[in-house]
């Protein structure tokens, strides 16, 4: 028979109306730890990752409760089904979830609805507090309830959903779990509308995407795919007299994998990316075993020597061959755009690149040495080897030069589309005379 529902009396209702929830300060953390150790059945905790502590008080400032929110569990079968995200999405977006790892009521008297009231007030502010402290909101919360100790009523009263029971593992360190054979009931609650839809989306909204930038990209390609990529680079000529752990094709394939996985590609970033690969993935790259029987990860200096010594033309030919195999030939009817950019993931010389738009087929590139500029590089290195017959080529105002136009038309057989600005007044005046101005409503 169900127990009759208790309702708060007038004094208790006044307490419920006056209860407040505050973020704990650093000075209050020792007291929180002491109270948890004394009164919570799990004792104090050492939370990992991002965390926030809350204190519930009455009108007089007396402590009524403590709540701790910390990093969500790495793997939860029922939670992943509830959200519907992939393993890689979970790895990169897990910090959009948090775990209510401790909830302790301190009131000596039993006040009906006190726990649910405190929890609701906390959840009302949790996401905005997280935004203020860590630069991103929280979309959903989770918690575990020991069925031998509690019923989880305070959570169900606040709209939490019970998904099932865990398998009985507990986190001891950031990525280390120990089997304790005490399954817990798993409860979850969305803090934003369509939270699961956001978490499983192909691309996060800009205000959420910051969490993915904090997670090191990981190689998601299977061993079979990696071996296929390696085969393309095996024709690269070896410039070293002695090869120990890392053949050229291994390093070239590894950099391409970083590109495919959208990882930063500075030498230090490449080292981190390589360290994140499994032994099977490194073996598929063709990396050789060390004396300990392991397949090591290349260091920053290894990538620096590779990029300085590799034959650029041969590497470029290999990349174009891979693109043709994967994407087919570049559409000839598309505009060819040439533009120079400084590398986002490293310092040094900028790169002048030719691509088609809108398909973004790569056609070629050339290094712009710090002692020169893009103009001679385009005229002497980038344009001559390209197949520009009957194709429209676009360059910015820097390249509005007689020699550049001659190279495109007379030598490459193409057509140019060049930008003219006010720093070429004579040419600008001639254009104004020969070409009528577009209508005011002409789209840009």
């Amino acid at each position: 028979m169900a127990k009759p529902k208790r309702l708060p009396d007038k004094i208790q209702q006044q307490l419920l109306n006056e209860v407040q929830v505050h973020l704990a300060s650093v000075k209050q953390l020792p007291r929180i730890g002491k109270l948890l150790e004394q009164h919570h059945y799990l004792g104090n905790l050492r939370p990992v990752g991002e965390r926030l502590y809350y204190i519930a008080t009455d009108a007089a400032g007396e402590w009524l409760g403590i709540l701790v929110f910390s990093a969500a569990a790495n793997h939860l079968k029922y939670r992943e089904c509830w959200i519907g995200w992939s393993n890689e999405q979970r790895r990169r977006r897990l910090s959009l979830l948090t775990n209510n790892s401790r909830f302790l009521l301190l009131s000596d008297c039993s006040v009906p609805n006190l726990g649910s009231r405190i929890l609701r007030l906390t959840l009302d502010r949790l996401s905005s507090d997280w935004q203020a402290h860590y630069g991103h909101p929280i979309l959903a919360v989770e918690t575990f309830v020991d069925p031998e100790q509690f019923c989880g009523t305070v959570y169900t009263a606040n709209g939490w959903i019970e998904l099932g029971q865990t398998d009985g593992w507990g986190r001891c360190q950031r990525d280390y779990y120990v089997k304790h054979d005490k399954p817990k009931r798993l409860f979850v609650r969305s803090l934003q509308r369509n939270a699961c839809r956001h978490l499983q989306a192909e691309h996060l909204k800009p205000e959420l995407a910051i969490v993915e930038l904090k997670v090191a990209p990981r190689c998601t390609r299977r061993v079979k795919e990696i071996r296929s990529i390696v085969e393309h680079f095996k024709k690269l000529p070896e410039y070293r007299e002695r090869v120990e752990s890392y053949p050229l094709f291994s390093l070239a394939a590894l950099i391409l994998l970083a590109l495919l996985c959208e990882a930063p590609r500075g030498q230090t970033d490449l080292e981190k990316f390589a360290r994140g690969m499994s032994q099977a993935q490194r073996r598929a790259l063709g990396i050789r075993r060390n004396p300990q029987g392991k397949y090591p990860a290349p260091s920053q200096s290894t990538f620096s020597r590779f990029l300085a010594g590799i034959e650029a033309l041969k590497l470029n030919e290999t990349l174009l061959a891979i693109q043709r195999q994967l994407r087919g030939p570049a559409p000839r009817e598309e505009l060819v755009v040439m533009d120079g950019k400084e590398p986002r993931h490293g310092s040094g010389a900028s790169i002048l690149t030719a691509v088609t738009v809108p398909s973004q087929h790569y056609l070629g590139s050339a290094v712009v040495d710090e002692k020169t500029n893009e103009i001679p590089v385009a005229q002497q290195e980038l344009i001559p080897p390209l197949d520009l017959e009957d194709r429209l080529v676009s360059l910015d105002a820097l390249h509005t030069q007689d020699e550049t136009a001659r190279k495109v038309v007379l030598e490459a057989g193409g057509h140019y589309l060049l930008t003219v600005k006010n720093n070429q007044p004579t040419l600008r005046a001639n254009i104004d005379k020969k070409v009528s101005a577009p209508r005011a409503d002409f789209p840009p």
Side-chain angles (χ1 to χ4, degrees):
M1 183 176 177
K3 295 181 179 180
K5 185 177 180 180
R6 288 182 55 201
L7 296 177
D9 57 30
K10 290 184 178 181
I11 298 178
Q12 292 173 336
Q13 186 60 52
Q14 183 178 357
L15 173 65
L16 293 177
N17 294 338
E18 294 175 346
V19 67
Q20 300 177 16
V21 172
H22 312 274
L23 265 175
S25 66
V26 175
K27 293 182 179 180
Q28 293 171 320
L29 295 184
R31 182 183 176 187
I32 290 175
K34 184 177 180 180
L35 290 172
L36 289 174
E37 193 65 43
Q38 291 176 346
H39 302 293
H40 198 282
Y41 80 104
L42 291 176
N44 195 11
L45 82 163
R46 295 180 179 178
V48 296
E50 300 171 343
R51 81 292 300 266
L52 288 180
Y53 296 80
Y54 288 93
I55 301 168
T57 64
D58 61 15
E62 293 294 323
W63 287 26
L64 300 176
I66 296 170
L67 298 95
V68 183
F69 293 85
S70 55
N74 278 342
H75 300 278
L76 291 172
K77 175 175 61 177
Y78 293 110
R79 181 194 66 193
E80 321 314 7
C81 292
W82 176 66
I83 295 174
W85 55 9
S86 67
N87 285 334
E88 184 61 15
Q89 287 174 328
R90 174 197 53 77
R91 189 184 74 87
R92 301 185 68 180
R93 302 173 181 180
L94 190 61
S95 55
L96 291 172
L97 276 64
T98 187
N99 186 291
N100 178 206
S101 46
R102 292 291 187 274
F103 187 4
L104 174 66
L105 292 178
L106 298 170
S107 179
D108 293 333
C109 60
S110 177
V111 179
N113 303 332
L114 178 61
S116 59
R117 172 69 173 169
I118 292 174
L119 183 58
R120 186 180 68 79
L121 292 174
T122 307
L123 295 183
D124 286 345
R125 61 177 296 172
L126 179 62
S127 185
S128 58
D129 287 338
W130 218 277
Q131 178 77 52
H133 278 73
Y134 299 109
H136 66 87
I138 289 294
L139 299 189
V141 288
E142 67 186 29
T143 195
F144 305 115
V145 174
D146 188 342
E148 296 180 1
Q149 300 278 344
F150 306 101
C151 298
T153 306
V154 69
Y155 292 103
T156 55
N158 269 273
W160 294 56
I161 303 171
E162 182 175 2
L163 299 182
Q165 286 196 338
T166 67
D167 292 330
W169 291 79
R171 190 205 301 259
C172 291
Q173 298 177 16
R174 180 178 295 272
D175 294 311
Y176 186 69
Y177 287 76
V178 172
K179 184 81 169 176
H180 53 58
D181 293 322
K182 293 183 178 180
K184 303 290 195 305
R185 297 166 65 189
L186 170 63
F187 289 83
V188 295
R189 186 180 187 276
S190 298
L191 294 186
Q192 291 191 19
R193 187 177 181 182
N194 297 323
C196 292
R197 186 181 301 175
H198 293 318
L199 291 168
Q200 65 179 240
E202 183 178 358
H203 300 289
L204 287 177
K205 292 183 175 181
E207 62 269 22
L208 304 177
I210 185 176
V211 300
E212 295 189 320
L213 299 178
K214 298 179 181 179
V215 180
R218 185 178 62 178
C219 181
T220 56
R221 303 287 169 158
R222 298 181 180 274
V223 167
K224 185 177 179 180
E225 295 176 290
I226 295 175
R227 287 174 179 162
S228 176
I229 291 173
V230 167
E231 289 299 317
H232 291 288
F233 292 102
K234 286 192 173 180
K235 293 182 180 180
L236 286 176
E238 180 62 70
Y239 64 88
R240 299 168 296 181
E241 295 181 359
R242 180 180 177 184
V243 180
E244 295 185 356
S245 298
Y246 312 109
L248 284 188
F249 58 79
S250 300
L251 298 172
L254 203 156
I255 294 175
L256 179 58
L257 285 170
L259 172 66
L260 296 175
C261 295
E262 300 181 354
R265 293 176 294 283
Q267 288 91 316
T268 303
D269 301 306
L270 288 170
E271 178 182 347
K272 294 178 181 178
F273 180 76
R275 286 183 178 180
M277 300 179 75
S278 67
Q279 286 288 299
Q281 288 173 324
R282 294 182 202 169
R283 179 182 179 183
L285 282 169
I287 293 175
R288 299 172 182 175
R289 285 183 178 177
N290 60 20
Q292 291 74 39
K294 300 291 186 179
Y295 298 96
S299 66
Q300 174 187 352
S301 59
T302 300
F303 286 111
S304 297
R305 291 192 297 269
F306 166 79
L307 294 172
I310 190 67
E311 189 174 338
L313 290 178
K314 290 292 184 181
L315 180 60
N316 194 59
E317 292 173 2
T318 302
L319 293 174
L320 289 171
I322 295 174
Q323 179 178 248
R324 283 193 298 271
Q325 180 174 340
L326 297 178
R327 304 186 65 191
R332 297 193 62 82
E333 69 277 6
E334 289 191 349
L335 177 69
V336 176
V337 176
M338 298 183 185
D339 193 20
K341 297 293 183 184
E342 293 185 359
R344 288 187 304 166
H345 309 298
S347 60
S350 60
I351 307 294
L352 184 62
T353 305
V355 298
T356 63
V357 292
S359 67
Q360 293 293 309
H361 272 73
Y362 169 75
L363 300 181
S365 60
V367 176
V368 181
D369 190 86
E370 295 178 354
K371 298 179 181 180
T372 184
N373 59 49
E374 294 180 14
I375 298 172
V377 174
Q379 296 171 355
Q380 301 167 19
E381 298 182 38
L382 184 58
I383 294 175
L386 297 180
D387 178 14
L388 302 178
E389 186 74 28
D390 292 326
R391 303 180 81 164
L392 184 60
V393 180
S394 173
L395 299 100
D396 60 28
L398 177 67
H399 296 276
T400 305
Q401 310 284 334
D402 292 343
E403 181 61 20
T404 302
R406 191 187 69 80
K407 287 280 186 181
V408 172
V409 177
L410 298 182
E411 295 189 16
H415 310 280
Y416 61 77
L417 181 63
L418 302 175
T419 304
V420 180
K421 294 185 177 179
N422 292 331
N423 60 346
Q424 294 177 304
T426 302
L427 180 57
R428 179 67 182 264
N430 289 335
I431 292 175
D432 290 338
K433 291 178 182 178
K434 299 291 185 180
V435 181
S436 59
R439 302 189 314 270
D441 60 347
F442 184 78

